[in-house]
Amino acid sequence: MRVLVWHVHGSWTTSFVAGPHEYVVPVVPERGPDGRGRARTWDWPGSVGEADPAELARLAADGGIDVVVLQRPEEPELLHRWTGLVAGRDVPAVYLEHNAPTGPAAATRHPLADLDVVADGTVPVVHVTAYNALMWDTGDARTLVVDHGIPDPGHRSTGELDTIAAVVNEPVRRWRVAGTDVLLEVARHVPVDVYGMGVTGLGNHRPPVPGAPPLRLYDDVPQAAMHDALARSRAYLHPFRWTSLGLALLEAMALGLPVLALPTTEAPVAVPPTAGVLSSRPETLVATARRWLAEPDEAREHGAAARAHVLQHYSLDAFLHRWDAILTEVTS
């Protein structure tokens, strides 16, 4: 089938477009949020094509869109404005919610919960974690969970560098949500390499301390190069207080890195005790990081368990099979 899907989250979309369908991603001249087009830092197959609003209108008029995967509250209106189609009425649709609620954790009403085609179950709301599904108030909407699935990057971990790696996008803007203060606290005691979008400004928030371990910042590194770099670090730090399940965490585990994380949202499910250490006490994360830097064999053992867990619970095949079942159901 031909699937219309906006390029919202690059890593998730990379997994999604690995399926057997034809995928159309909107593109606008400035490649802004409403039309980023094909990814430039991920490797997408030839089955993913770009279409500007005029091309989407022609596709819609010819009945060339089989199903729409919506991911932002504004996309139903955008779809109608560009194509004349009403999601759930003129074209089958699902709404994919990537995030945990940003308001009161257990009382935030989902922005699409009261949309007619969502409230009556025509357009299901699909969550990427069971925790997110539990916390969002979606009213009478039909809700489903499709756990993440990632392409296996291979067991590349060498742990050759005495550093802890982290991937955090926009750590300054997302300060407490992203656990940036936790990251900087760990970085006071052990060397940390930080990857992600908008990380260079982080250096301005670390006061100079004589003899402090290095904090190295790598902005917007392409995925393949980032995987190679992550694999050289001894362990992976996931400092987020409140987030959906970051795909970078699963990718690091699949590379064979052990994990240091806060026991929040979906992390206790994604990171079993054999795969690393979860603690609400930053000093415990620091102590474990120091131990792993001194004892690479222990880190390697936890890293092997982390990889095994991801391959078993977050396989790409299982992810694509589940999505195929949902797309087939809503289109029939």
Side-chain angles (χ1 to χ4, degrees):
M1 62 186 77
R2 182 179 286 141
V3 183
L4 172 60
V5 56
W6 272 263
H7 174 189
V8 175
H9 292 281
S11 289
W12 181 89
T13 312
T14 298
S15 293
F16 184 70
V17 300
H21 309 293
E22 180 182 348
Y23 305 89
V24 179
V25 292
V27 64
V28 294
E30 68 278 12
R31 291 186 177 265
D34 288 341
R36 290 193 174 103
R38 283 178 57 93
R40 297 179 173 183
T41 55
W42 286 269
D43 185 19
W44 286 3
S47 55
V48 183
E50 297 179 339
D52 63 22
E55 291 169 320
L56 288 175
R58 286 193 292 271
L59 270 178
D62 294 338
I65 299 173
D66 296 311
V67 62
V68 181
V69 177
L70 305 164
Q71 301 169 78
R72 299 173 299 157
E74 59 267 31
E75 286 178 11
E77 188 278 329
L78 195 60
L79 174 72
H80 184 255
R81 175 155 42 95
W82 284 358
T83 69
L85 299 176
V86 175
R89 294 284 186 257
D90 304 320
V91 61
V94 301
Y95 186 90
L96 173 64
E97 178 54 68
H98 288 278
N99 302 311
T102 56
T108 299
R109 186 76 166 177
H110 195 279
L112 265 68
D114 301 309
L115 189 69
D116 288 347
V117 292
V118 173
D120 68 12
T122 302
V123 175
V125 176
V126 182
H127 295 278
V128 296
T129 72
Y131 188 90
N132 289 2
L134 176 71
M135 301 311 288
W136 275 111
D137 173 9
T138 50
D140 294 328
R142 181 180 176 218
T143 58
L144 306 168
V145 176
V146 179
D147 290 318
H148 285 304
I150 62 168
D152 180 10
H155 192 172
R156 302 191 215 172
S157 176
T158 64
E160 63 196 76
L161 300 180
D162 292 334
T163 62
I164 307 299
V167 178
V168 183
N169 288 327
E170 301 187 66
V172 175
R173 181 182 67 83
R174 302 167 67 204
W175 194 267
R176 284 187 58 82
V177 168
T180 303
D181 56 318
V182 176
L183 185 155
L184 290 178
E185 174 60 23
V186 173
R188 288 182 58 232
H189 304 279
V190 297
V192 175
D193 295 339
V194 185
Y195 302 83
M197 294 182 289
V199 301
T200 52
L202 189 58
N204 299 327
H205 295 267
R206 190 198 198 199
V209 178
L215 174 65
R216 289 176 288 258
L217 308 174
Y218 302 93
D219 194 80
D220 205 12
V221 178
Q223 187 185 46
M226 187 177 72
H227 286 171
D228 288 337
L230 290 176
R232 300 178 66 202
S233 291
R234 189 67 49 81
Y236 185 81
L237 173 65
H238 182 68
F240 291 81
R241 279 187 176 86
W242 186 253
T243 183
S244 191
L245 181 58
L247 283 171
L249 167 63
L250 299 182
E251 291 164 3
M253 293 172 69
L255 290 167
L257 273 72
V259 176
L260 302 165
L262 305 180
T264 58
T265 61
E266 192 79 356
V269 175
V271 186
T274 55
V277 171
L278 275 64
S279 177
S280 299
R281 301 177 182 272
E283 61 268 26
T284 299
L285 302 180
V286 169
T288 305
R290 283 174 163 165
R291 190 173 72 248
W292 287 349
L293 292 177
E295 301 178 16
D297 287 344
E298 180 186 345
R300 193 174 300 113
E301 181 179 344
H302 285 295
R307 172 171 166 77
H309 182 76
V310 165
L311 294 183
Q312 180 178 356
H313 295 279
Y314 300 96
S315 79
L316 183 61
D317 285 346
F319 170 84
L320 293 174
H321 179 76
R322 183 77 175 103
W323 267 107
D324 278 352
I326 291 172
L327 296 177
T328 298
E329 179 187 336
V330 299
T331 54
S332 61

